[in-house]
Amino acid sequence: MAELKDNKRKLYRKEKAETRKAFKQARFEDDQQISATPSGDESGSNSFSTTTEVDLPRKRFYRQRAHSNPFSDHSLEYPRSPDAMDWTKLYPAYYNEESKDVQSRVEIADIGCGYGGLLINLAAEFPQILCLGMEIRVQVTQYVEDRIIALRNKYKDEPKKNFQNISVLRGNAMKFLPNFFYKGQLSKMFFCFPDPHFKQRKHKARIITNTLLSEYAYVLREGGVVYTITDVEDLHLWMVKHLEEHPMFERLSKDWEKQDKCVQLMWNSTEEGQKVSRNKGNKWVACFKRLPTPEDCE
């Protein structure tokens, strides 16, 4: 029985991988739809139908461990610098024929985006802004990618809700964030329910540290906001302490949080946030503004 389930899972992932490959090979056209299932032609090779809807992925086929060691060698692909990054396959609708590049830059980053719940909500809230999810786990990244492909296909005729402005890539933000983004490129960064790394010897692996905050300040523009939310009070206090101690960040007030739409979105958009709500657990939020760079540091 277990072997049968495993074979079914492998077959499902193979079909989805072929769909992802087909979408990456050609830009997403308004009049084109690609099916999730390959069909054989007379020569015996696989080809993709351009008429069948792409089904939303089923999460049970993408399950894996909740956390991943950020210090491990995950054989990640990353550009040598932001100039070397090719965004055309992630945001094909924004491709510019003259410049041969994407005409806009990513402004919102969801670090450790999980299964993409927040990304989906950000797509509707900021339809003209490019949003990127970064996730280190292979199968979770593939799930989000397949989810976005299906949503783009389903809503392709709705210009205000076609999910062309969001994408996901597998990456380690703790190591390679400046490889993807220019100085001051981002306006918002989200850290939603990150791995708490409870053991003291593991605290160095937390996503908020003094060293990492300097990198976040580099890619975040003046006035940009770092959003944090967790259900672990100790981690909340840790993140607040390090952000308050960093000279480039200033905490925003509770009144500001109450009126900010993004705080409302991240409260219950993620899978983890929904689980905490179901279990009637606590959530702690802290938002920090990126301060102007001192003149002597420019």
Side-chain angles (χ1 to χ4, degrees):
M1 188 67 177
E3 183 178 354
L4 180 62
K5 288 183 178 180
D6 188 52
N7 289 336
K8 185 177 181 181
R9 185 182 298 111
K10 289 180 179 178
L11 179 61
Y12 182 88
R13 289 179 182 167
K14 181 180 179 181
E15 291 176 350
K16 288 296 185 181
E18 290 171 343
T19 303
R20 288 194 298 273
K21 183 179 180 180
F23 268 86
K24 288 179 179 179
Q25 286 176 343
R27 296 200 305 276
F28 191 93
E29 304 293 345
D30 288 343
D31 60 348
Q32 185 180 51
Q33 293 178 323
I34 301 178
S35 72
T37 306
S39 57
D41 57 22
E42 293 181 356
S43 64
S45 62
N46 287 332
S47 62
F48 283 81
S49 165
T50 59
T51 59
T52 306
E53 286 281 340
V54 178
D55 295 329
L56 286 170
R58 286 169 280 180
K59 194 177 296 182
R60 69 177 183 271
F61 292 113
Y62 299 82
R63 292 290 186 182
Q64 69 175 93
R65 293 180 60 185
H67 306 294
S68 181
N69 183 358
F71 298 127
S72 296
D73 181 6
H74 295 279
S75 300
L76 298 169
E77 295 183 2
Y78 57 92
R80 299 183 68 177
S81 69
D83 287 331
M85 180 60 191
D86 180 11
W87 297 101
T88 58
K89 293 179 181 179
L90 296 181
Y91 304 97
Y94 289 79
Y95 181 78
N96 185 290
E97 287 288 352
E98 293 184 4
S99 64
K100 304 299 180 183
D101 198 1
V102 170
Q103 62 187 10
S104 300
R105 288 182 178 177
V106 172
E107 293 187 31
I108 300 176
D110 183 7
I111 308 300
C113 66
Y115 289 91
L118 178 60
L119 271 180
I120 301 305
N121 283 276
L122 289 172
E125 185 65 24
F126 303 99
Q128 304 302 321
I129 296 178
L130 298 190
C131 309
L132 178 72
M134 298 187 74
E135 173 60 50
I136 198 171
R137 293 169 292 173
V138 178
Q139 293 168 25
V140 179
T141 305
Q142 291 174 353
Y143 171 85
V144 179
E145 190 172 355
D146 291 339
R147 185 179 183 183
I148 292 172
I149 288 173
L151 288 170
R152 286 178 177 178
N153 198 57
K154 182 177 181 179
Y155 295 100
K156 71 185 187 71
D157 295 324
E158 300 184 29
K160 294 184 178 180
K161 184 187 177 183
N162 57 17
F163 299 96
Q164 294 289 344
N165 64 320
I166 59 171
S167 193
V168 64
L169 61 78
R170 183 169 178 249
N172 187 343
M174 294 179 66
K175 289 185 176 182
F176 306 120
L177 203 65
N179 293 75
F180 291 96
F181 304 121
Y182 293 101
K183 179 180 179 181
Q185 178 175 335
L186 302 178
S187 63
K188 301 178 189 294
M189 296 181 69
F190 292 88
F191 300 90
C192 300
F193 302 96
D195 190 340
H197 293 291
F198 289 108
K199 297 179 181 179
Q200 187 170 359
R201 63 184 178 85
K202 293 283 190 178
H203 285 181
K204 62 184 179 181
R206 287 179 168 177
I207 196 67
I208 299 293
T209 63
N210 289 334
T211 301
L212 290 173
L213 285 175
S214 294
E215 291 195 1
Y216 303 155
Y218 176 81
V219 298
L220 197 65
R221 67 188 59 164
E222 294 181 6
V225 180
V226 167
Y227 294 81
T228 71
I229 184 171
T230 179
D231 59 329
V232 179
E233 186 176 17
D234 175 68
L235 178 61
H236 167 70
L237 296 175
W238 166 282
M239 293 191 292
V240 168
K241 176 179 181 294
H242 284 75
L243 279 156
E244 286 183 337
E245 290 177 350
H246 198 281
M248 298 305 297
F249 293 98
E250 178 181 77
R251 188 168 186 179
L252 294 163
S253 68
K254 290 296 181 182
D255 288 337
W256 184 93
E257 292 176 5
K258 290 178 181 178
Q259 58 81 34
D260 185 72
K261 184 63 176 179
C262 289
V263 173
Q264 300 172 31
L265 288 180
M266 74 173 182
W267 185 263
N268 222 35
S269 293
T270 66
E271 182 184 65
E272 188 66 25
Q274 294 169 6
K275 182 169 67 175
V276 173
S277 294
R278 289 195 300 269
N279 295 333
K280 302 187 186 308
N282 294 318
K283 301 176 189 177
W284 286 272
V285 172
C287 302
F288 286 78
K289 180 177 67 173
R290 204 280 204 186
L291 297 174
T293 303
E295 293 184 2
D296 58 353
C297 294
E298 293 180 349

